Amino acid sequence: MACGAGPSAGTHDLSDLTWASATNGWGPVERDRSNGEQAAGDGRALTVGGVVYGKGLGTHAASSVSYYLGGACSSLTTAVGVDDEVAVGKGSVVFQIWRDGSLVADSGKVTAADAAKPLSVDLAGALEVRLVVTDAGDGVDYDHADWAGPRLVCA
């Protein structure tokens, strides 16, 4: 976990903030793009269930992206789903949000056939938030996972 000040007061798109750490199962975590392939910036527009999202994080199972909050933020809202670049019937993931090492949200299994699923968590007083994507227990093939429109509210 990083030290120092958390985000400034206001509402922030997570993709505009600097993460404390990031790991990704295929290529780098992408800002405002889908996972794509191995190179940075090779993804497409984040699209889940036919809806295009201008802001967000494109990841691939297994992934983890952590942000230092310094106790300055109150909530996180996002929509999550398998990117439309994955054919229906392929890819399945589970999205999790961790607050200071405790699981506070779990999407359950999400597939390419599913619409984006909303997640919202209370982060009041939290020092760190971590966004995790797992392979839903069936391997990582086609697991292009989008954190669509994640917004952090800070005091």
Side-chain angles (χ1 to χ4, degrees):
M1 183 169 10
C3 294
S8 61
T11 301
H12 303 277
D13 292 306
L14 273 189
S15 61
D16 292 340
L17 299 177
T18 302
W19 50 65
S21 67
T23 59
N24 204 39
W26 180 256
V29 173
E30 298 282 3
R31 294 178 193 272
D32 305 329
R33 312 285 302 158
S34 66
N35 185 78
E37 295 300 329
Q38 289 282 4
D42 66 357
R44 302 178 191 151
L46 296 162
T47 309
V48 178
V51 177
V52 177
Y53 296 86
K55 302 298 284 180
L57 302 173
T59 66
H60 190 290
S63 68
S64 176
V65 183
S66 298
Y67 291 88
Y68 179 71
L69 305 178
C73 301
S74 59
S75 65
L76 172 68
T77 57
T78 188
V80 296
V82 174
D83 195 273
D84 285 357
E85 67 194 5
V86 174
V88 172
K90 305 217 180 225
S92 61
V93 297
V94 174
F95 294 85
Q96 298 176 335
I97 302 175
W98 294 76
R99 171 195 162 150
D100 293 338
S102 295
L103 181 63
V104 292
D106 186 303
S107 67
K109 186 175 181 176
V110 177
T111 72
D114 297 323
K117 185 172 198 174
L119 295 178
S120 181
V121 296
D122 177 0
L123 295 175
L127 296 178
E128 178 189 47
V129 64
R130 186 165 55 105
L131 310 179
V132 172
V133 176
T134 74
D135 70 356
D138 59 5
V140 297
D141 293 347
Y142 304 99
D143 284 355
H144 292 220
D146 293 348
W147 295 91
R151 311 252 331 176
L152 187 63
V153 177
C154 303

